[in-house]
Amino acid sequence: MKTSICSSIVVLLLVLLPTTISHNYADALTKSILFFEGQRSGYLPRNQRMTWRRNSALNDGKNLNADLVGGYYDAGDNIKFHFPMAFTATMLAWSAVDFGSYMSPADLRDNLIALRWGTDYLLKTVSQLPNRIFVQVGEATPDHQCWERPEDMDTPRTAYAVEAPSPASDLAGEITAALAAASIAFKRFDPIYSKILLDNALKTFEYADSHRGSYTSNPATKLAVCPFYCSVNGYEDELLWGAAWLRRATGKDSYLKYLVDNRQSFSADSNYFEFGWDNKVGGVNVLVAKEVFEKDVAVIAPYKDTAEKLMCSFFLESPGAHMSYSPGGLLYKPGSSQLQNTVALSFLLLTYANDLSKSSQQLHCGSLMFQPDSLRRLAKRQVDYILGDNPINMSYMIGYGYRYPRQIHHRGASSPSVMTHPTAIKCLEGWNVFASPNPDPNILVGAVIGGPDIDDKFIGGRTNASETEPTTYINAPFVGLLAYFKANPILDDSAFLRFSKKN
Ligand SMILES: *[C@@H]1O[C@H](CO)[C@@H](O)[C@H](O)[C@H]1NC(C)=O
Ligand SMILES: *[C@@H]1O[C@H](CO)[C@@H](O)[C@H](O)[C@H]1NC(C)=O
């Protein structure tokens, strides 16, 4: 009896080995974190590994007499949009909090360094509260009229602020979430920094909640931020999101009460199939559900009920509304930089699966029941698709695998490095670089780009921003996903997934 079980295990392993080791998640994880060095603004440290980058934007904040040097360029351009930057930091922090234990010490250290590059800057954005909060540096229209390396920038570096008592609940709510989540991530490693982050999160939430409204309700801010990072989904979700992270960071009942009192009026039970830099509703429900799993807190159980509805929507056989998948199995939502949706939603799937496991529960969808591994397989399928298991065998992570796009919509990567070409490449001159058929001279290692369309097609090319532009908020949740699958190779079973394009 014993021998036959042993031999069948051996056979099983032999059959499954090729699929379980098809991806080098450890390599992808290290690269996904390295990417953030390519997006750095300000003074670069001596140990900068992405050496084709140099210092840039060293006078940011000057027009408002503030120091706003540092932070991240959000994508392939050279603007610092604080709203998506804060979401990026929140997700880098959540990756470290939930998945840091699966990382090597070096990867966890680098994850925290990438996070701190963001939070050090976010602390500057709230340094003049309660009087004002900084919103953005750089003017999008002039910036987009040029194709310039960050190191050469000669476009206006105007800094924008919202002054009290004008509202900025969405921006301040997201910065609250970032600082509070980061305070948890740093607690063990740097308690002093952790405390600074938490104190600033509390101060920022105070502003967010006492001046309710969107940061774009102010015409000057709206002109600067829109149409790029308007808060289309409103500001209420960020208030809940900020409160949920403060509850997690402090354990205080006042935030629990806030979550209970405002759940309905802030619409935590509508529009919950989304999660990204604009809409936090999916994330709020999953984050709050965590506490229901851990401590069975009944007053917030409705958040878990909504999270469950989101989870069921990933399974096409479950009743109710569904997510869409491409024929090749990619979780797909219409819009630009599509993989941002795939990655952020997959992060929620995996987090929820782990919470189910820890409390020995399953996901119930009508009369159907799903084990946590079913959710994990679905999340893993998305990760594998992005890394190259797709109908065109394309890795959408730059510098990973043998076949990845060689022309991306990124000013720094597509232009020669300052190291090899120190002479400035001026605004309009840069469009020759943009139009060049040559591959990018600098590999923005680890960048996950916008990705294919709903038919798994990918034309590629530097000109197609929607397909080939990387963004910091695609990579940030990917860090957590990769860490988990690096440490927990779960068995692949492609037959288990049935995909249909429309539903
Ligand atoms: C993708 O790779 C598989 C397995 O190596 C191969 O069978 C298939 O033809 C490739 N498809 C394309 C479009 O290159
Ligand atoms: C970018 O590629 C998509 C297909 O993924 C295509 O539908 C779109 O028209 C392209 N856009 C541009 C500006 O080339």
Side-chain angles (χ1 to χ4, degrees), residues 170-239:
D170 29 25
L171 174 66
E174 186 61 61
I175 295 176
T176 301
L179 299 178
S183 80
I184 303 171
F186 279 104
K187 197 161 190 168
R188 241 173 359 113
F189 304 99
D190 191 341
I192 295 171
Y193 188 59
S194 169
K195 170 100 173 41
I196 293 170
L197 292 168
L198 185 56
D199 290 346
N200 279 274
L202 295 167
K203 175 178 85 171
T204 307
F205 190 68
E206 185 64 36
Y207 192 92
D209 194 39
S210 56
H211 310 290
R212 288 188 186 177
S214 171
Y215 78 137
T216 55
S217 52
N218 168 335
T221 315
K222 185 171 181 177
L223 200 63
V225 170
C226 297
F228 305 98
Y229 292 105
C230 301
S231 181
V232 179
N233 192 51
Y235 62 85
E236 294 87 347
D237 51 335
E238 280 84 13
L239 286 173

Side-chain angles (χ1 to χ4, degrees), residues 453 457 459 464 467:
D453 68 8
K457 285 204 193 72
I459 302 154
N464 197 321
E467 281 190 347

Side-chain angles (χ1 to χ4, degrees), residues 116-366:
R116 188 167 180 153
W117 193 274
T119 49
D120 278 350
Y121 182 79
L122 292 174
L123 289 174
K124 295 182 179 187
T125 68
V126 297
S127 60
Q128 293 188 13
L129 282 178
N131 300 319
R132 59 182 182 182
I133 181 166
F134 297 103
V135 168
Q136 173 177 332
V137 184
E139 295 184 24
T141 304
D143 181 276
H144 289 177
Q145 280 163 355
C146 300
W147 191 263
E148 282 184 311
R149 304 178 291 201
E151 293 84 356
D152 289 339
M153 255 190 303
D154 50 6
T155 45
R157 294 301 293 173
T158 313
Y160 298 85
V162 166
E163 311 277 344
S166 295
S169 302
D170 29 25
L171 174 66
E174 186 61 61
I175 295 176
T176 301
L179 299 178
S183 80
I184 303 171
F186 279 104
K187 197 161 190 168
R188 241 173 359 113
F189 304 99
D190 191 341
I192 295 171
Y193 188 59
S194 169
K195 170 100 173 41
I196 293 170
L197 292 168
L198 185 56
D199 290 346
N200 279 274
L202 295 167
K203 175 178 85 171
T204 307
F205 190 68
E206 185 64 36
Y207 192 92
D209 194 39
S210 56
H211 310 290
R212 288 188 186 177
S214 171
Y215 78 137
T216 55
S217 52
N218 168 335
T221 315
K222 185 171 181 177
L223 200 63
V225 170
C226 297
F228 305 98
Y229 292 105
C230 301
S231 181
V232 179
N233 192 51
Y235 62 85
E236 294 87 347
D237 51 335
E238 280 84 13
L239 286 173
L240 292 175
W241 183 231
W245 278 109
L246 282 175
R247 164 69 181 168
R248 214 161 173 81
T250 65
K252 282 200 179 142
D253 285 340
S254 54
Y255 299 111
L256 189 71
K257 184 169 179 335
Y258 190 96
L259 289 166
V260 173
D261 291 350
N262 294 302
R263 180 176 169 275
Q264 294 222 304
S265 55
F266 288 176
S267 307
D269 52 358
S270 64
N271 231 346
Y272 53 81
F273 297 110
E274 311 268 339
F275 186 45
W277 63 262
D278 183 19
N279 184 328
K280 313 295 148 59
V281 180
V284 169
N285 285 306
V286 170
L287 181 64
V288 179
K290 208 177 255 300
E291 185 166 346
V292 182
F293 278 116
E294 287 166 0
K295 298 185 209 144
D296 202 12
V297 186
V299 283
I300 46 172
Y303 283 95
K304 182 177 169 241
D305 298 341
T306 308
E308 195 163 275
K309 284 193 261 177
L310 166 64
M311 293 301 139
C312 291
S313 76
F314 289 107
F315 294 93
L316 299 180
E317 59 271 53
S318 71
H322 292 134
M323 297 287 175
S324 300
Y325 293 89
S326 73
L330 178 67
L331 175 62
Y332 194 93
K333 276 184 179 287
S336 66
S337 295
Q338 194 298 118
L339 287 182
Q340 64 177 305
N341 302 309
T342 310
V343 173
L345 290 166
S346 297
F347 184 99
L348 296 185
L349 255 171
L350 184 60
T351 297
Y352 198 85
N354 291 346
D355 291 338
L356 283 170
S357 284
K358 276 184 218 147
S359 55
S360 307
Q361 294 185 40
Q362 294 85 30
L363 173 67
H364 294 275
C365 305

Side-chain angles (χ1 to χ4, degrees), residues 389-451:
D389 288 356
N390 54 58
I392 61 167
N393 295 342
M394 179 69 80
S395 162
Y396 294 105
M397 175 184 274
I398 304 306
Y400 175 87
Y402 67 97
R403 188 156 182 255
Y404 55 84
R406 302 295 165 149
Q407 294 188 331
I408 63 171
H409 190 90
H410 191 275
R411 285 162 175 74
S414 63
S415 310
S417 164
V418 189
M419 260 166 55
T420 55
H421 189 293
T423 320
I425 302 167
K426 295 286 183 191
C427 169
L428 298 179
E429 209 187 318
W431 291 108
N432 297 325
V433 169
F434 177 74
S436 156
N438 296 333
D440 295 334
N442 312 302
I443 310 290
L444 187 60
V445 174
V448 179
I449 57 172

